[in-house]
């Protein structure tokens, strides 16, 4: 895209507080929030309760954001137990997430899960397509076929540096970047303002406190100019940042601060850097 329209404002919500959007008979509560190409479902899952999907049209993702998480994933005749911080790829079709202990579970669905779009509390913000966001197209199927693929962070021990700032995995629908936990505030003299041309960034704060610094580029129309925003948020919370808004997230909590960045579909720029995506051999790149 060569000409970018003035973006809509950032989408933001606290999660897990206030009235949920859905409560199961078993007592689990879910808050739904969406971006242009996806829906995020944040659930406080009660032990023994089940989150089911039937006729799921494509692969979806389960994030376990804390060490005390413990679930059982059932799909395609498989049953896989997953505990601790993890990202789990779940195949299309029928599936279930069963709570072993009380814990928080985050599920990510592409916009092809049309039954979930209207459940999102910010659905009105996407009544019309956003002009700068490239429409969703899934990436190629995994050559070995779809199945439950759990990626436990404890099993993905890697050196995290400027080249690989987090533990990044992808599937046919999403890329998830579990950024390194930060103890205490981030150095305010080492922030990383940047922007994206044609995709949103979803930043999920799961621990600590952050300030999302946001700047809307100027257009030729002064009526469209906006003041910079410095959005302070706790956790859990979610921010969906539209292109080409300039942004950087500053950890400000005194304890542990943990942020997870989410992209739908996966980011091509990260995927083209060998070794940056930890499961790059499982999911092929699209045809360029």
């Amino acid at each position: 895209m060569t000409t970018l329209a003035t973006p809509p404002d950032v989408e933001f919500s606290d999660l897990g507080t206030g009235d949920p959007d859905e409560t199961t008979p078993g007592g689990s509560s879910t808050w739904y929030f969406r971006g242009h190409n996806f829906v995020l479902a944040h659930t406080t899952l009660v032990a023994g309760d089940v989150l089911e999907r039937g006729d799921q049209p494509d692969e979806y993702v389960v994030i376990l954001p804390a060490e005390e998480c413990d679930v059982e994933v059932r799909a395609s005749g498989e049953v896989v137990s997953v505990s601790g911080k993890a990202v789990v790829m779940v195949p299309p079709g029928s599936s279930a997430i069963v709570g072993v202990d009380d814990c928080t579970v985050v599920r990510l669905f592409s916009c092809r899960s049309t039954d979930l779009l209207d459940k999102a509390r910010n659905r009105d913000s996407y009544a019309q397509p956003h002009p700068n966001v490239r429409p969703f197209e899934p990436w190629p199927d995994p050559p070995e076929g779809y199945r439950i693929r759990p990626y436990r962070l404890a099993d993905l021990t890697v050196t995290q540096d400027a080249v690989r700032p987090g533990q990044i995995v992808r599937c046919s629908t999403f890329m998830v970047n579990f950024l390194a936990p930060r103890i205490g505030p981030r150095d305010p003299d080492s922030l990383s303002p940047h922007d994206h041309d044609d995709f949103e960034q979803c930043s999920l704060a799961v621990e600590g406190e952050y300030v999302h610094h946001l700047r809307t580029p100027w257009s030729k129309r002064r009526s469209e100019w906006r003041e910079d925003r410095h959005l302070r948020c706790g956790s859990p919370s979610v921010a969906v940042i539209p292109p080409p808004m300039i942004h950087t997230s500053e950890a400000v909590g005194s304890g542990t601060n943990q942020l997870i960045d989410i992209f739908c579909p996966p980011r091509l720029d990260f995927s083209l850097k060998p070794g940056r995506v930890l499961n790059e051999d499982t999911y092929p790149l699209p045809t360029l």
Side-chain angles (χ1 to χ4, degrees):
M1 299 182 183
T2 56
T3 302
L4 298 178
T6 299
D9 206 353
V10 63
E11 293 288 315
F12 173 80
S13 181
D14 292 313
L15 298 169
T17 59
D19 293 335
D21 301 306
E22 184 176 82
T23 302
T24 69
S28 299
S29 296
T30 298
W31 289 258
Y32 290 96
F33 200 75
R34 68 166 295 186
H36 189 275
N37 291 335
F38 68 93
V39 176
L40 181 150
H42 180 280
T43 301
T44 53
L45 183 60
V46 174
D49 207 358
V50 182
L51 303 175
E52 293 184 290
R53 290 293 292 168
D55 298 322
Q56 171 65 26
D58 54 8
E59 197 170 26
Y60 72 99
V61 175
V62 174
I63 297 176
L64 304 183
E67 292 297 343
E68 58 269 20
C69 293
D70 193 355
V71 301
E72 187 176 84
V73 184
R74 303 172 182 172
S76 301
E78 293 183 281
V79 178
V80 178
S81 296
V82 187
S83 60
K85 293 182 180 181
V87 180
V88 186
M89 314 311 186
V90 185
S94 298
S95 61
I97 313 300
V98 183
V100 175
D101 295 323
D102 292 353
C103 64
T104 296
V105 172
V106 177
R107 291 169 295 158
L108 307 174
F109 302 95
S110 83
C111 55
R112 292 188 172 182
S113 295
T114 54
D115 61 307
L116 301 179
L117 298 179
D118 283 342
K119 292 186 178 184
R121 52 186 49 206
N122 65 328
R123 57 189 175 273
D124 291 345
S125 296
Y126 293 91
Q128 298 296 325
H130 288 189
N132 297 333
V133 180
R134 187 179 299 275
F136 174 74
E137 287 292 340
W139 280 26
D141 297 345
E144 296 182 3
Y146 288 106
R147 60 180 176 83
I148 301 170
R149 289 186 166 92
Y151 298 97
R152 299 173 179 85
L153 264 62
D155 300 332
L156 297 175
T157 303
V158 295
T159 300
Q160 300 189 39
D161 50 28
V163 175
R164 185 188 285 117
Q167 292 168 294
I168 303 174
V169 292
R170 72 170 185 248
C171 65
S172 61
T173 50
F174 285 90
M175 174 178 284
V176 178
N177 183 3
F178 238 110
L179 293 165
R182 183 180 297 274
I183 308 301
R186 183 176 182 176
D187 181 357
D189 292 329
S190 64
L191 302 181
S192 54
H194 62 285
D195 66 281
H196 309 296
D197 281 346
D198 60 3
F199 59 86
E200 293 175 322
Q201 176 171 314
C202 174
S203 290
L204 174 66
V206 296
E207 193 171 2
E209 296 177 83
Y210 284 86
V211 175
H212 298 301
H213 301 287
L214 306 162
R215 172 169 290 179
T216 301
W218 287 359
S219 71
K220 66 181 181 181
R221 292 176 290 274
R222 186 161 60 87
S223 61
E224 295 178 342
W225 296 359
R226 299 185 188 133
E227 296 289 337
D228 290 352
R229 292 190 65 185
H230 305 280
L231 181 61
R232 191 179 185 104
C233 63
S235 56
S237 64
V238 59
V240 179
I241 302 165
M245 185 174 284
I246 301 167
H247 58 280
T248 187
S249 296
E250 179 183 3
V252 295
S254 59
T256 300
N257 301 282
Q258 175 80 71
L259 197 68
I260 302 171
D261 285 340
I262 298 160
F263 306 95
C264 179
R267 285 181 65 162
L268 184 60
D269 56 346
F270 279 6
S271 297
L272 290 175
K273 297 179 179 180
R276 190 161 196 174
V277 179
L278 298 174
N279 65 338
E280 62 186 354
D281 293 337
T282 303
Y283 290 92
L285 294 171
T287 301
L288 301 179

